C-alpha cells in the first residue's frame, strides 16, 4: 500500500475495506494494553528467590549489620555492581533506594538549589534554566524538568543518538542551557545505541557549554540486551580524558532486572561532584535500605551473574518484540505509511506514522480496546510538532495479546492514513 501515488478510487476502496476490518475488530471487544514499559509477572518471578535469601545472615562482606542505620553511600558490594554496570570507579558510584528517577530528581534539585560547586553555582541563581531534550524521548525526564521549572529545548534523535551538531550549537549559543537528557543504550523510545562518536562529543560538551553544565546519562537499559551484549562507549573514561569529568552524571537501576518496585538504584559522578551531592543526600537520609541491597547481592553477586540473569529476561521479551516487528514488517515494509527502528534491546519500539496521524491512531485503537501511550508523550509538554510518534511497549501482554494488539494497531495506522489522504485530495 503506497498512498502518495494512489488514485482517489483506489483510496476509497481501501477506506471501505479497512473500515470493515476495523468494525470487525471493534466487535471483538478487546481489552489490550501496550502503554507502559514494565516487566511482566513472568519476568518479576525470575527474582523471587530474593525472598528469604538472607536466611538470617544480615552481614555484608565488610561485616556491616545491614539492618542498622548508616552507610549513606550504599553497601560496597552493591556499589561495585553499580560501578560495573555504569563503567565507573567504585568510589564514583552510590547504591541507593529503588528508583533512579528519585536520584535524577535529587541530582537536579542539588544542582538547581545548592550548586555542585558551592552556592554561587546553583542554577537558580543564574537566571532561566534550560535542558536539551533529544526527541522522541522519555516522558518522565520531561516531567522532572517541568517540576523544577527547567525549560526544554528539543533536538532530533538520529540512528546514532542525539543530533550533535544541533546540540553543540545550542550549548555554545545559549548560556541558560544547564544539561541534556540521554538514554544512551536502547534509548526510550527509539531503541538506538549512541555511537562512539556521539558519546565522545557528549563527553566534550563540558568544554563548550557554560560552567556547571551536566550530561544526565540515564543508562536504564545498560544490560537489557535481547541478543548479544552490544557495546556502548564509556562516557566517564572519555570525559576523564577530555578533562570534563565534572560535567557528567550517570544513573542506572535494577528496576527491570529484579523487582521493579523494590530494586536498587545507582548514581555515578566524579568524586568532587559526589562530595557535594552527599551533603544534600545526607540531609535527607541516614542511609539507604541496605538489607535490600544485600538481598540483591546474594541473588546477583557480580556482573557476570547479572548478565546471565538478563538472558532469562531476554528469552521472555524476545517473542514479544518479534511479534511487534513482524506485524510492522508485514504491514508497512516498502510502504509510505510509517517508519520504525528495530531495537536489539530495551523495552520499546518507536513508530512514526505519516505526519498528523499519531493522535488519531491512538484514539482509534483505544476505541477498539487497545491502549497505547498517548501520542505526544515522547515530546516535552506532550507536544509532538508533527504528530507522528507512537511508543509501543510490548513487555506486559502475552505474545498472543501482542499479536492481537498489533493487528488492531496496523489497521488503525492504515485507516487513519487513508482517510487523511482522501481528505487531502478532496
Ligand atoms: N529511565 C528510563 C529511560 C526508563 O525507561 C525508566 C522506566 N520506564 C526509568 C528511568 C525508571 O527507572 P527507575 O525505576 O529506576 O526509577
Amino acid at each position: 500500500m503506497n498512498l502518495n501515488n494512489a488514485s482517489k478510487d483506489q483510496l476509497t476502496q481501501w477506506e471501505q475495506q479497512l473500515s470493515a476490518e476495523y468494525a470487525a475488530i471493534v466487535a471483538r471487544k478487546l481489552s489490550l494494553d501496550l502503554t507502559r514499559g514494565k516487566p511482566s509477572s513472568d519476568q518479576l518471578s525470575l527474582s523471587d528467590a530474593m525472598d528469604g535469601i538472607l536466611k538470617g545472615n544480615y552481614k555484608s562482606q565488610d561485616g556491616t549489620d545491614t539492618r542498622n542505620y548508616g552507610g549513606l553511600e550504599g553497601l560496597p558490594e552493591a556499589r561495585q555492581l553499580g560501578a560495573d554496570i555504569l563503567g565507573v570507579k567504585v568510589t564514583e558510584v552510590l547504591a541507593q533506594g529503588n528508583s533512579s528517577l528519585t536520584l535524577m530528581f535529587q541530582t537536579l534539585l542539588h544542582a538547581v538549589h545548592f550548586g555542585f560547586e558551592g552556592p554561587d553555582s546553583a542554577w537558580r541563581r543564574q537566571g532561566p534554566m534550560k535542558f536539551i531534550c533529544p526527541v522522541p524521548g522519555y516522558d518522565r525526564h520531561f516531567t522532572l524538568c517541568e517540576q523544577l521549572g527547567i525549560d526544554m529545548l528539543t533536538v532530533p534523535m538520529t540512528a546514532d543518538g542525539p543530533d550533535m551538531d544541533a546540540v553543540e550549537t545550542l550549548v555554545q549559543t545559549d548560556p541558560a542551557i544547564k544539561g541534556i537528557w540521554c538514554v544512551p543504550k536502547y534509548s526510550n523510545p527509539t531503541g538506538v545505541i549512541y555511537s562512539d562518536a556521539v558519546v565522545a562529543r557528549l563527553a566534550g560538551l563540558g568544554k563548550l557549554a557554560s560552567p556547571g553544565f551536566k550530561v544526565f546519562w540515564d543508562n536504564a537499559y545498560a544490560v537489557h540486551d535481547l541478543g548479544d551484549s552490544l557495546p556502548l562507549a564509556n562516557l566517564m573514561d572519555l570525559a576523564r580524558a577530555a578533562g570534563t569529568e565534572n560535567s557528567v552524571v550517570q544513573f542506572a537501576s535494577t528496576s527491570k532486572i529484579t523487582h521493579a518496585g523494590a530494586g536498587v538504584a545507582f548514581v555515578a559522578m566524579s568524586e568532587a561532584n559526589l562530595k557535594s551531592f552527599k551533603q544534600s543526600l545526607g540531609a535527607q537520609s541516614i542511609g539507604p535500605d541496605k538489607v535490600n541491597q544485600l538481598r540483591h547481592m546474594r541473588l546477583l553477586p557480580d556482573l557476570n551473574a547479572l548478565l546471565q540473569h538478563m538472558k532469562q529476561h531476554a528469552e521472555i521479551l524476545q517473542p514479544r518484540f518479534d511479534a511487534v516487528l513482524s506485524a510492522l514488517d508485514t504491514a508497512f515494509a516498502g510502504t509510505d505509511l510509517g517508519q520504525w527502528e528495530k531495537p536489539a534491546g530495551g523495552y520499546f519500539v518507536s513508530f512514526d506514522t505519516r505526519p498528523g496521524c499519531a493522535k488519531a491512531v491512538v484514539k482509534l485503537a483505544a476505541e477498539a480496546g487497545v491502549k497505547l501511550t498517548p501520542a505526544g508523550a515522547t515530546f516535552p509538554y506532550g507536544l509532538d510538532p508533527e504528530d507522528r510518534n507512537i511508543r509501543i511497549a510490548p513487555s506486559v501482554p502475552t505474545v498472543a495479546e501482542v499479536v492481537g494488539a498489533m493487528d488492531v494497531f496496523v489497521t488503525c495506522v492504515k485507516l487513519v492514513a487513508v482517510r487523511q489522504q482522501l481528505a487531502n485530495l478532496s
Side-chain angles (χ1 to χ4, degrees):
M1 192 181 258
N2 260 301
L3 301 192
N4 289 341
N5 309 322
S7 67
K8 198 166 176 186
D9 281 354
Q10 173 70 83
L11 288 167
T12 308
Q13 202 189 330
W14 280 337
E15 202 279 335
Q16 283 163 0
Q17 272 170 14
L18 288 162
S19 290
E21 280 174 33
Y22 181 74
I25 289 168
V26 171
R28 277 156 56 196
K29 293 199 186 326
L30 299 169
S31 174
L32 301 169
D33 190 336
L34 293 180
T35 54
R36 294 248 51 121
K38 48 186 193 177
S40 62
S41 299
D42 285 351
Q43 289 177 266
L44 295 169
S45 296
L46 296 173
S47 303
D48 287 350
M50 270 194 312
D51 243 355
I53 199 168
L54 298 183
K55 298 193 176 71
N57 177 3
Y58 295 96
K59 292 265 168 74
S60 69
Q61 270 170 11
D62 66 359
T64 300
D65 184 339
T66 55
R67 294 168 301 182
N68 220 329
Y69 269 143
L72 182 66
E73 296 170 330
L75 289 183
E77 52 266 54
R79 293 176 75 191
Q80 184 61 57
L81 187 68
D84 291 342
I85 292 172
L86 286 169
V88 296
K89 298 184 205 164
V90 69
T91 49
E92 292 171 330
V93 68
L94 305 180
Q96 295 290 298
N98 74 300
S99 165
S100 62
L101 273 170
T102 304
L103 291 169
M104 291 174 221
F105 185 87
Q106 289 170 323
T107 308
L108 275 177
L109 192 63
H110 186 78
V112 170
H113 196 79
F114 303 104
F116 273 93
E117 288 92 30
D120 288 342
S121 71
W123 293 347
R124 73 189 159 99
R125 300 199 179 192
Q126 299 167 0
M129 302 175 279
K130 297 182 191 167
F131 247 63
I132 300 176
C133 302
V135 288
Y138 178 37
D139 54 351
R140 288 180 180 275
H141 290 162
F142 310 147
T143 307
L144 287 174
C145 282
E146 283 201 77
Q147 276 285 310
L148 290 166
I150 299 170
D151 294 334
M152 291 175 267
L153 303 173
T154 60
V155 297
M157 273 294 275
T158 74
D160 286 332
D163 175 343
M164 288 309 296
D165 289 343
V167 170
E168 286 169 354
T169 305
L170 277 174
V171 301
Q172 288 177 95
T173 47
D174 189 347
I177 293 176
K178 304 297 179 200
I180 178 171
W181 285 114
C182 295
V183 182
K185 196 166 169 190
Y186 308 131
S187 123
N188 179 350
T190 57
V192 309
I193 302 183
Y194 290 13
S195 71
D196 293 358
V198 164
V199 181
R201 286 171 81 176
L202 285 162
L205 289 181
K207 280 207 174 122
L208 303 179
S210 58
F213 173 92
K214 302 238 171 325
V215 176
F216 273 65
W217 189 256
D218 177 3
N219 208 345
Y221 301 105
V223 290
H224 301 60
D225 313 274
L226 285 172
D228 290 341
S229 176
L230 296 179
L232 171 71
N234 187 309
L235 179 71
M236 190 49 124
D237 284 352
L238 289 163
R240 233 188 291 283
T244 54
E245 64 266 39
N246 291 338
S247 73
V248 302
V249 288
Q250 305 189 59
F251 306 89
S253 77
T254 65
S255 290
K256 293 182 183 99
I257 296 173
T258 59
H259 289 170
V264 178
F266 306 100
V267 57
M269 52 184 94
S270 70
E271 287 177 40
N273 278 342
L274 264 192
K275 190 167 171 230
S276 170
F277 180 64
K278 278 192 294 187
Q279 282 171 13
S280 55
L281 188 69
Q284 294 168 65
S285 168
I286 301 172
D289 179 348
K290 298 184 299 302
V291 174
N292 190 37
Q293 293 185 4
L294 191 62
R295 293 184 328 126
H296 276 75
M297 296 319 299
R298 295 267 164 86
L299 183 78
L300 305 169
D302 54 32
L303 188 63
N304 202 25
L306 186 144
L307 293 177
Q308 289 308 317
H309 182 81
M310 293 314 290
K311 290 201 170 128
Q312 299 180 67
H313 280 283
E315 272 171 33
I316 297 172
L317 286 169
Q318 182 78 63
R320 288 161 170 80
F321 276 84
D322 289 346
V324 172
L325 293 169
S326 96
L328 295 178
D329 258 334
T330 309
F332 303 127
T335 75
D336 53 9
L337 287 162
Q339 286 159 341
W340 66 100
E341 304 277 346
K342 292 198 171 90
Y347 267 65
F348 306 102
V349 177
S350 172
F351 184 84
D352 281 330
T353 63
R354 287 163 73 90
C357 290
K359 275 205 177 83
V361 168
V362 171
K363 186 163 176 279
L364 215 56
E367 286 162 7
V370 174
K371 270 197 217 146
L372 296 162
T373 308
T378 51
F379 284 73
Y381 314 108
L383 296 174
D384 175 355
E386 291 196 279
D387 186 25
R388 300 188 67 178
N389 188 248
I390 299 176
R391 187 181 80 168
I392 300 169
S395 57
V396 175
T398 63
V399 177
E401 285 171 341
V402 175
V403 171
M406 288 310 293
D407 199 23
V408 179
F409 179 77
V410 300
T411 306
C412 292
V413 170
K414 288 181 190 170
L415 185 52
V416 169
V418 168
R419 283 181 180 165
Q420 185 200 53
Q421 188 70 353
L422 266 175
N424 288 345
L425 289 188
S426 57

